[in-house]
Every structure is written in C-alpha cells, then in structure tokens.
Amino acid sequence: MDGVAAGKVTDFAGEADAADASELRDFVPVKRIALVAALTHKARMRVRDDLATLFCKRVATKDKKAKAELEEIRLAEREIVEALIGNHRTVLKHIDEGARPKRRSRRPRP
C-alpha cells in the first residue's frame, strides 16, 4: 500500500467491508483486488494495533507485580538491617562495659 494515500485506503477498505461477495463480483477485477487489498491492509493494521495494546497491558501488569515484589524485598531487607544495627549496638555496649579501665592503685614503681 506504499504510495497510496491513507484516505484512499480507508475509503476502499470501508467500501469492501460494506459490500458482500456478490457486489464485489460486479467490480472489474483490478478494482476488486484493490478493495480486497485495502481491506486486508486495514485488518492487518488493526491486528497489529491490538497486539501492541495487548503487549503494553501485559508489560504494565508485569511491571506492577515487579514493583510490588521489589517493595516486599526492600521491607524484608530493612528489617534485617535494623536487626543487625540493634545487634551491633548491643555488642558495642558490652564491649564498652567490659573495656572500662580499672582503677590502679598508685604505687611507686621500683
């Protein structure tokens, strides 16, 4: 359909869609072929558009599920990090308590 105006293709496709088989036989073969070719071209375009729409919806669904899963992973990781920070603070607290300097008696050294 290269080189044919889009409006002309649309008109031919509409004409072919409106006509039944007996009406299409009344056209000269060249026009009949042109009408059927335009109708076929429009049908292919519709199918291609429908497939693209279906693909976009499928990708959007996958994207939504992936975002939800990622958020669950982030929450789980946050809980792990918070638990590790709490353990780290506890360890540091015990180290500080055990490492306090003992008071030395002041004895002269020999």
Side-chain angles (χ1 to χ4, degrees):
M1 296 271 112
D2 293 336
V4 180
K8 185 68 84 174
V9 173
T10 302
D11 290 343
F12 279 0
E15 189 175 344
D17 192 31
D20 61 1
S22 64
E23 291 175 0
L24 284 175
R25 280 192 205 132
D26 295 341
F27 292 114
V28 291
V30 173
K31 181 153 185 178
R32 185 176 344 139
I33 292 171
L35 291 174
V36 172
L39 184 62
T40 305
H41 177 72
K42 282 296 185 179
R44 288 181 69 201
M45 285 177 47
R46 255 185 259 122
V47 168
R48 200 173 28 233
D49 289 346
D50 290 346
L51 281 173
T53 301
L54 183 68
F55 177 74
C56 289
K57 287 180 180 180
R58 174 76 51 99
V59 169
T61 301
K62 296 274 186 196
D63 184 52
K64 186 176 178 180
K65 286 181 182 178
K67 285 181 180 178
E69 185 179 339
L70 180 61
E71 188 60 31
E72 289 175 12
I73 291 170
R74 283 183 181 154
L75 290 175
E77 291 294 321
R78 182 178 295 146
E79 289 176 8
I80 291 170
V81 168
E82 288 174 359
L84 288 172
I85 289 171
N87 289 342
H88 183 70
R89 284 183 182 158
T90 303
V91 168
L92 290 177
K93 188 169 133 183
H94 288 300
I95 289 173
D96 284 345
E97 290 174 357
R100 288 188 182 172
K102 296 179 182 177
R103 290 189 166 185
R104 292 186 185 179
S105 61
R106 297 203 172 233
R107 284 192 246 162
R109 289 188 179 198

